[in-house]
Amino acid sequence: MLFTHKFLTFAYQKTNNNLDSMKTVQFREAICEAMSEEMRRDESIYLMGEEVAEYNGAYKASKGMLDEFGAKRVIDTPIAELGFAGIAIGSAMNGNRPIVEYMTFNFSLVGIDQIINNAAKIRQMSGGQFNCPIVFRGPTASAGQLGATHSQAFENWFANTPGLKVIVPSNPYDAKGLLKAAIRDDDPVIFMESEQMYGDKMEIPEGEYIIPIGVADIKREGTDVTIVSFGKIIKEAYKAADELAKDNISVEIIDLRTVRPMDHAAILTSVKKTNRLVVLEEAWPFASVASEITYRIQNEAFDYLDAPIKRITTADAPAPYSPVLFEKWLPNAQDVIKAVKEVMYI
């Protein structure tokens, strides 16, 4: 799928870059470029994970990196997430800047003790003597018929933890700029991708660019209703907006890009303009990111709302394997259209 980005310069930090010089890359290539550029710049950065080296990455997101950087900086690990997460955190405390790839964030649960109890807390628990500049990255959420244990979204889990930053890009341009920012950050960052986006194509600048963490992006301007989303599920919002435009309903779409820290100001400004809010998220409803957004907006912009906030999530059940049930479980454009019409009382 080829994306066009109407707001290419939004939140754009230019570094020796010519915006007129563009190239088309896949999402996986944008990830690889970000890691490779940063590893050329800083020798303390290295990549480790299952199949990242000899196999060029489970999703070919590290293709060619072993050849360029060697086995000391692109490291294949055993199937032992708890172990290599701990090793990476220890090395980060001693001056390195590791990138840890999980084949899927479902597998991060094996190493979540290291992430939550060590990476996220070491700066505070050491009284500022240690920081932990580390990126944990890999695919999140569903990718088709992979069953309940391989189709989970844990953005809200990690975002619930003070000390962690959580990024979920939705396109190659954002992915590259945000990953470079994450690698340079002195705190632990959870960087969540999607198996179903690795082949997505988009034009990005030839030169280096960085997107600041914590800045949302208005992907589509509108006046009637605000839709807030992030990650691959935002594509359903785009489809819905196109259909709703046929009925003269103007939709504003905000891509969070960063779940924590969240750009509450961008959402608040948009809701004050449109007076209606729909939140689309590929996660279970209880204690979701949508729940946090809903609370903040009703608390800070209640008098601006012309309708109750609607949230769209997956069904409150493990992801089914059956394609028929899976289709019902996962949010889609029709769900978004229905929610928008409900907040507009149509």
Side-chain angles (χ1 to χ4, degrees):
M1 183 175 184
L2 183 64
F3 289 89
T4 56
H5 201 289
K6 296 180 181 178
F7 305 96
L8 187 62
T9 58
F10 184 88
Y12 177 79
Q13 176 181 321
K14 185 167 69 173
T15 309
N16 298 323
N17 180 59
N18 181 358
L19 277 176
D20 293 329
S21 180
M22 306 290 286
K23 61 182 178 182
T24 300
V25 301
Q26 291 184 330
F27 192 105
R28 59 168 58 89
E29 293 170 328
I31 295 294
C32 186
E33 282 191 12
M35 294 190 293
S36 297
E37 288 176 10
E38 292 304 300
M39 287 175 69
R40 293 180 196 121
R41 183 186 62 85
D42 186 344
E43 292 187 355
S44 70
I45 300 169
Y46 67 91
L47 171 67
M48 69 187 308
E50 294 151 356
E51 299 184 347
V52 299
E54 295 289 345
Y55 192 65
N56 286 311
Y59 310 102
K60 300 299 179 279
S62 55
K63 186 176 181 180
M65 292 180 66
L66 175 63
D67 292 338
E68 179 175 356
F69 300 105
K72 287 187 176 181
R73 297 184 67 196
V74 182
I75 306 166
D76 277 332
T77 66
I79 303 175
E81 288 80 6
L82 179 64
F84 64 76
I87 290 170
I89 292 166
S91 76
M93 292 168 59
N94 282 278
N96 290 304
R97 307 183 76 89
I99 305 167
V100 174
E101 178 180 312
Y102 292 118
M103 196 176 294
T104 159
F105 261 96
N106 297 279
F107 300 161
S108 75
L109 298 190
V110 182
I112 200 168
D113 176 54
Q114 291 287 353
I115 299 171
I116 302 298
N117 282 327
N118 291 319
K121 297 179 174 63
I122 195 62
R123 181 189 289 271
Q124 185 214 41
M125 292 179 67
S126 68
Q129 295 179 80
F130 291 100
N131 62 358
C132 192
I134 186 171
V135 176
F136 299 96
R137 52 157 293 268
T140 183
S142 63
Q145 288 181 264
L146 296 180
T149 58
H150 288 66
S151 304
Q152 302 168 110
F154 297 119
E155 293 90 324
N156 59 322
W157 286 33
F158 289 112
N160 185 253
T161 306
L164 295 180
K165 296 175 181 178
V166 181
I167 298 172
V168 192
S170 67
N171 61 70
Y173 171 80
D174 289 349
K176 181 177 179 180
L178 285 165
L179 183 53
K180 287 174 71 69
I183 294 168
R184 296 187 187 190
D185 200 282
D186 286 333
D187 292 313
V189 179
I190 307 294
F191 194 93
M192 308 177 102
E193 303 152 16
S194 169
E195 292 176 48
Q196 293 185 326
M197 291 197 303
Y198 283 121
D200 288 354
K201 294 180 180 179
M202 184 179 186
E203 283 193 337
I204 69 171
E206 287 276 2
E208 180 182 66
Y209 65 96
I210 297 173
I211 298 174
I213 296 171
V215 180
D217 192 9
I218 301 173
K219 299 297 192 192
R220 179 172 180 147
E221 294 184 341
T223 57
D224 293 328
V225 59
T226 299
I227 298 177
V228 176
S229 188
F230 57 92
K232 80 172 189 293
I233 201 68
I234 200 172
K235 296 178 184 180
E236 301 302 315
Y238 298 148
K239 295 175 188 175
D242 288 340
E243 288 300 313
L244 289 163
K246 298 175 183 177
D247 295 327
N248 294 317
I249 298 172
S250 176
V251 175
E252 182 147 297
I253 299 176
I254 295 178
D255 186 346
L256 284 181
R257 304 198 294 195
T258 304
V259 172
R260 182 166 186 161
M262 187 181 293
D263 191 351
H264 293 289
I267 305 171
L268 188 63
T269 299
S270 180
V271 170
K272 286 182 176 180
K273 177 176 68 172
T274 67
N275 309 116
R276 296 172 177 86
L277 175 62
V278 172
V279 186
L280 172 63
E281 178 182 2
E282 186 181 349
W284 298 307
F286 190 87
S288 60
V289 173
S291 300
E292 170 67 15
I293 294 171
T294 300
Y295 169 76
R296 290 293 293 264
I297 293 303
Q298 67 81 29
N299 186 57
E300 299 175 23
F302 182 81
D303 291 338
Y304 289 89
L305 291 171
D306 288 341
I309 299 168
K310 291 285 184 180
R311 68 175 183 180
I312 306 166
T313 65
T314 66
D316 194 14
Y321 180 78
S322 160
V324 177
L325 293 176
F326 184 80
E327 184 178 356
K328 295 292 184 182
W329 178 84
L330 189 68
N332 58 44
Q334 290 305 311
D335 297 325
V336 179
I337 291 169
K338 179 182 177 183
V340 167
K341 290 186 175 181
E342 285 178 356
V343 299
M344 296 194 68
Y345 300 110
I346 297 175

